[in-house]
Amino acid sequence: MAFYHKCIRFSSFLPYKPNLFLISKRSFTNEILKQKVNIDNIDRMLFSIKQSHNFAYVANEFKEILDHNRLDHKQLVYATYIAHINYKNNQEFMQVALKKIENELAEKINEFPYDSRCTIIRNLMEATKKGYNLSNKELGKAILASIFIEKDKPKYSKLLFSVALMTHNFEALGLDYKSKFKELEPLLTPEFLDKLCLKDLSILLSAFKLYYQKIFHIGYRIVNPMPLFENSEKIILKSITNTTNANDLYWILFSYISLNTGTEDFIRHLESLILPRLHELTQFNFNGFPFLYKLRYSSDQKYIIYVIWKAYYEELINRFPKLSAKDMSVVIYRMWWSSSLHGFYCDSRLISLLQNFLNEERFILSLPERDGYELVTNISAFLTHAAFMDDENVVSRISDLLIKLQKGATDKLVMSSTNIMSRHLNVPNRFWDIFLERFPSVSRAGSHENDCYLFSIYLNVTLNNAEMKGKFEEIFKPILPRIIRNWKDSSTDSVSSKKQGYLHKIVEDILKKNEIKYEKEFYDDYYIDLALPDYKLAIEIEGPNHYIYPATKINGKTLNKIRNLEKKGWRVLQLAFYHYREYNIEQMIKECVRVCSPIKF
């Protein structure tokens, strides 16, 4: 009966419903195979038996259909849907199928009705998001041409958005999509924009957000405002009210914040409308909300923390009991990952919920191994960043879960989880033994990120785990020069992008005034803000992003750095960004120098 219920649950995703009277996998599969395979039921069949040995049978029938039939526009809509929805099940086969479909589309896509053309392009875009690459240059040209042909028709914004998401394919085909968008922009006049409903306008802005990010090559920040966004701002202000759909507001806000465009008053007005209605956001949009505030540039840090992040946090607490395992994993990862600009809002309520959830071992182990491993990794990362993972029982529970789920984890996931666990002192040695068994696989030369993980693990373990130190030094020895080099390069890039703050200048002036020799960004496996090597004194100036609010305590990453510097013999003086208003910094520095050295002032 379990399979019967699974069929019912899956049936809501299908355009054609399976025969739900079937109650066993075998009878279901046999019934499917008796049916004649055709374009109307092929997707149902692929979906139903995609993980069985019968996939090859159905795939061959699909191939026969594509080889021997000229499909009309409706059938090509469905064929592209089949190909993208099943792409991950058998990439090699679906790539062949899509290339056949591409050849047929190239000849006649511009002859199809508008709705069919939009849907086909959207389906191709979904396939490219999963790794497929367009190969037919004529089809690429036809798709780009469609953004001029259809400008005044319904769903135009969705068409343009699909095209914008395929720009890497156009680049690979040698097609100049940038000039097409540039030609299009002057046609999007205020009069044209005024005719769009707010939803279509938000999608249009999202499409141009993707385009601008490509042409400026500067990630998520654009300094100069763009006419399209300036014109849209005026129209949006006229259109939005307290009853405007919260999800449309979200996409408008996302476009403006991602490009760092729009006036501060405009952005705050949008935020004032959306924050009281976070409960109306779809789960997908709610999960994406933290990304906005990794990108939101504002000098008013208190507003970001105590208005934006607090509102989001309260809604997360409300949603937590109903979150799926996947959504929980995504949202807690994005929360801590997005805190690098302004800081992190978290109190004991969410910590308790996550720690209690870790007790649900039976449920966690019932998840697919990779999903379960990723979820536990993200929970451990969150607790570590929030500096709430000191409890030996919590560390032991997480270690045990990761050990039980590790067979389904990719090397990248293993590296991520091991890097997090290496920051804790009471991780059982069995965890490290299992990591070292995978060492030949995870330590192969790869990305800078992988090598940074490796050196971070090596540093944490050799400094803090006397029992494992010898093993790690021996096993890491062949790759140590490489990972040290890449760790330092990555740290240097990070330091060079930092801006010197007001407190930094105050401290330097004090050191100069008292004729104390110092070095800026002194390197000893970590970059130290201001180092006094003669006194082995490190002065770390902690900006707002080093803290967890509302308690204003140091986050886990910074604590790890301080602990390791102290293990290396440094005495660390931490100066918080608010110290210059509350403390006599000069006296603090003098006292530290006096303690570290017999030299007196």
Side-chain angles (χ1 to χ4, degrees):
M1 291 300 293
F3 184 72
Y4 171 75
H5 293 300
K6 191 178 289 187
C7 292
I8 294 176
R9 189 169 71 252
F10 284 169
S11 68
S12 63
F13 296 101
L14 301 177
Y16 296 92
K17 307 298 181 191
N19 297 323
L20 296 181
F21 66 88
L22 302 165
I23 62 171
S24 73
K25 187 169 183 177
R26 178 174 295 177
S27 61
F28 182 72
T29 299
N30 290 341
E31 182 67 22
I32 285 289
L33 294 178
K34 289 176 189 175
Q35 299 176 28
K36 179 175 173 57
V37 182
N38 58 57
I39 201 68
D40 292 328
N41 68 15
I42 189 74
D43 182 59
R44 173 181 65 172
M45 299 176 71
L46 287 171
F47 188 91
S48 304
I49 58 177
K50 65 182 181 181
Q51 293 179 325
S52 79
H53 63 279
N54 290 310
F55 180 87
Y57 170 86
V58 179
N60 285 333
E61 292 297 325
F62 187 33
K63 180 177 180 295
E64 287 296 309
I65 291 171
L66 296 177
D67 284 344
H68 300 106
N69 294 276
R70 296 286 290 179
L71 306 182
D72 63 26
H73 65 91
K74 289 182 181 178
Q75 291 171 332
L76 281 166
V77 165
Y78 202 71
T80 51
Y81 172 79
I82 292 167
H84 97 70
I85 211 73
N86 293 286
Y87 188 80
K88 287 191 174 180
N89 300 328
N90 190 322
Q91 290 190 17
E92 187 177 346
F93 172 78
M94 287 304 166
Q95 283 174 355
V96 173
L98 279 164
K99 288 189 189 313
K100 291 180 183 294
I101 293 169
E102 273 191 59
N103 293 334
E104 194 158 343
L105 287 171
E107 300 174 15
K108 53 189 180 183
I109 189 169
N110 283 332
E111 301 170 10
F112 292 167
Y114 173 69
D115 283 351
S116 294
R117 199 178 324 166
C118 283
T119 307
I120 287 168
I121 292 172
R122 187 186 70 234
N123 289 340
L124 289 173
M125 176 270 291
E126 292 292 345
T128 64
K129 283 169 64 178
K130 296 171 184 174
Y132 179 69
N133 292 310
L134 287 181
S135 59
N136 192 305
K137 193 168 185 176
E138 293 306 312
L139 177 59
K141 288 179 181 178
I143 291 172
L144 285 173
S146 67
I147 66 176
F148 288 95
I149 298 169
E150 317 294 2
K151 186 171 72 69
D152 296 317
K153 293 192 177 179
K155 300 183 184 176
Y156 173 73
S157 294
K158 289 183 180 179
L159 170 64
L160 192 61
F161 186 62
S162 296
V163 173
L165 282 168
M166 295 167 70
T167 51
H168 63 286
N169 283 271
F170 301 133
E171 285 179 340
L173 291 171
L175 297 174
D176 184 11
Y177 74 89
K178 294 177 183 176
S179 65
K180 296 289 184 185
F181 271 78
K182 192 172 182 180
E183 290 171 36
L184 182 63
E185 189 173 6
L187 304 178
L188 304 179
T189 61
E191 293 74 25
F192 171 82
L193 296 172
D194 205 20
K195 294 176 185 176
L196 297 176
C197 68
L198 202 59
K199 185 177 185 66
D200 283 346
L201 180 57
S202 71
I203 295 170
L204 182 74
L205 293 174
S206 297
F208 269 87
K209 171 187 78 71
L210 294 167
Y211 160 65
Y212 285 131
Q213 286 171 347
K214 281 273 189 180
I215 63 170
F216 285 99
H217 299 291
I218 50 176
Y220 290 100
R221 193 165 191 182
I222 290 178
V223 177
N224 299 318
M226 293 141 287
L228 171 62
F229 282 80
E230 284 186 316
N231 293 332
S232 298
E233 183 175 324
K234 298 167 188 174
I235 293 165
I236 292 164
L237 284 171
K238 285 193 305 182
S239 307
I240 56 176
T241 66
N242 289 331
T243 59
T244 301
N245 185 289
N247 291 286
D248 293 343
L249 288 173
Y250 167 82
W251 285 111
I252 291 169
L253 189 64
F254 192 94
S255 297
Y256 277 88
I257 290 179
S258 296
L259 296 177
N260 192 36
T261 191
T263 62
E264 180 68 14
D265 287 345
F266 172 68
I267 298 298
R268 289 209 182 192
H269 182 54
L270 290 176
E271 289 167 341
S272 71
L273 293 175
I274 198 171
L275 289 175
R277 299 167 58 204
L278 288 173
H279 61 280
E280 297 177 24
L281 292 182
T282 64
Q283 191 61 49
F284 179 84
N285 289 347
F286 184 78
N287 293 351
F289 197 85
F291 275 158
L292 299 186
Y293 294 91
K294 183 177 176 64
L295 311 172
R296 173 81 154 89
Y297 292 86
S298 173
S299 58
D300 190 350
Q301 187 259 351
K302 287 186 177 179
Y303 169 75
I304 300 296
I305 291 293
Y306 293 106
V307 177
I308 304 293
W309 274 115
K310 185 179 179 182
Y312 184 82
Y313 182 80
E314 294 297 336
E315 177 57 21
L316 174 58
I317 295 296
N318 292 335
R319 290 190 184 216
F320 191 90
K322 297 180 181 178
L323 288 178
S324 68
K326 184 68 176 175
D327 287 327
M328 185 192 303
S329 183
V330 168
V331 78
I332 63 172
Y333 166 75
R334 290 179 177 176
M335 268 193 76
W336 75 261
W337 184 81
S338 300
S339 64
S340 59
L341 192 61
H342 300 289
F344 186 61
Y345 191 96
C346 180
D347 61 25
S348 59
R349 289 175 294 165
L350 184 54
I351 301 304
S352 297
L353 289 170
L354 290 172
Q355 290 179 340
N356 291 337
F357 178 77
L358 289 171
N359 292 325
E360 304 293 331
E361 181 174 320
R362 186 174 178 182
F363 170 75
I364 294 170
L365 295 179
S366 72
L367 297 169
E369 284 185 334
R370 188 189 185 286
D371 294 345
Y373 194 95
E374 186 173 19
L375 172 60
V376 175
T377 297
N378 287 337
I379 291 174
S380 65
F382 187 96
L383 293 174
T384 300
H385 191 71
F388 273 101
M389 205 166 135
D390 299 328
D391 187 332
E392 187 172 348
N393 291 329
V394 175
V395 175
S396 176
R397 200 177 313 141
I398 288 175
S399 302
D400 187 51
L401 286 167
L402 291 173
I403 289 168
K404 289 176 179 177
L405 294 164
Q406 59 95 20
K407 288 184 180 178
T410 62
D411 286 346
K412 186 174 181 180
L413 261 179
V414 168
M415 291 298 297
S416 178
S417 66
T418 309
N419 181 41
I420 294 159
M421 298 304 290
S422 72
R423 300 176 187 181
H424 301 283
L425 305 178
N426 43 11
V427 178
N429 285 345
R430 183 171 167 237
F431 180 88
W432 299 119
D433 289 334
I434 289 174
F435 169 70
L436 292 177
E437 288 173 12
R438 289 188 71 151
F439 188 77
S441 172
V442 300
S443 63
R444 288 193 297 265
S447 65
H448 265 50
E449 180 185 33
N450 194 64
D451 282 354
C452 288
Y453 280 153
L454 283 166
F455 186 71
S456 175
I457 293 164
Y458 172 82
L459 196 60
N460 286 323
V461 174
T462 55
L463 286 175
N464 300 291
N465 189 328
E467 289 183 51
M468 299 301 298
K469 180 180 178 181
K471 275 187 182 180
F472 269 68
E473 286 177 338
E474 181 183 349
I475 290 174
F476 273 76
K477 189 175 180 179
I479 66 166
L480 209 49
R482 185 193 84 217
I483 64 176
I484 288 174
R485 182 177 63 251
N486 287 336
W487 166 270
K488 186 174 182 180
D489 288 347
S490 180
S491 301
T492 303
D493 290 343
S494 177
V495 165
S496 63
S497 65
K498 281 200 314 186
K499 290 184 178 179
Q500 182 173 308
Y502 181 67
L503 183 54
H504 205 119
K505 186 176 184 305
I506 290 175
V507 175
E508 282 199 69
D509 289 343
I510 291 170
L511 293 172
K512 289 174 183 175
K513 173 186 168 184
N514 288 280
E515 298 181 346
I516 302 172
K517 292 182 180 179
Y518 69 93
E519 290 187 37
K520 292 168 64 174
E521 306 301 351
F522 182 86
Y523 184 76
D524 185 8
D525 289 332
Y526 296 97
Y527 276 103
I528 299 168
D529 290 340
L530 294 165
L532 283 59
D534 292 345
Y535 304 95
K536 201 70 172 176
L537 175 63
I539 301 176
E540 284 289 293
I541 297 163
E542 315 294 18
N545 59 317
H546 290 268
Y547 289 87
I548 302 154
Y549 305 90
T552 318
K553 68 174 188 174
I554 291 290
N555 66 33
K557 182 179 179 181
T558 305
L559 284 175
N560 179 245
K561 176 182 177 180
I562 300 306
R563 185 188 68 194
N564 285 348
L565 285 173
E566 289 174 344
K567 286 279 185 178
K568 292 171 74 64
W570 289 88
R571 192 179 292 263
V572 182
L573 171 61
Q574 290 178 271
L575 297 176
F577 66 99
Y578 49 79
H579 270 162
Y580 74 95
R581 291 183 183 143
E582 300 178 18
Y583 299 104
N584 186 330
I585 294 176
E586 185 168 0
Q587 191 59 41
M588 291 171 69
I589 293 171
K590 284 183 177 182
E591 180 61 22
C592 282
V593 170
R594 186 189 67 78
V595 170
C596 293
S597 165
I599 297 173
K600 295 192 170 112
F601 296 92

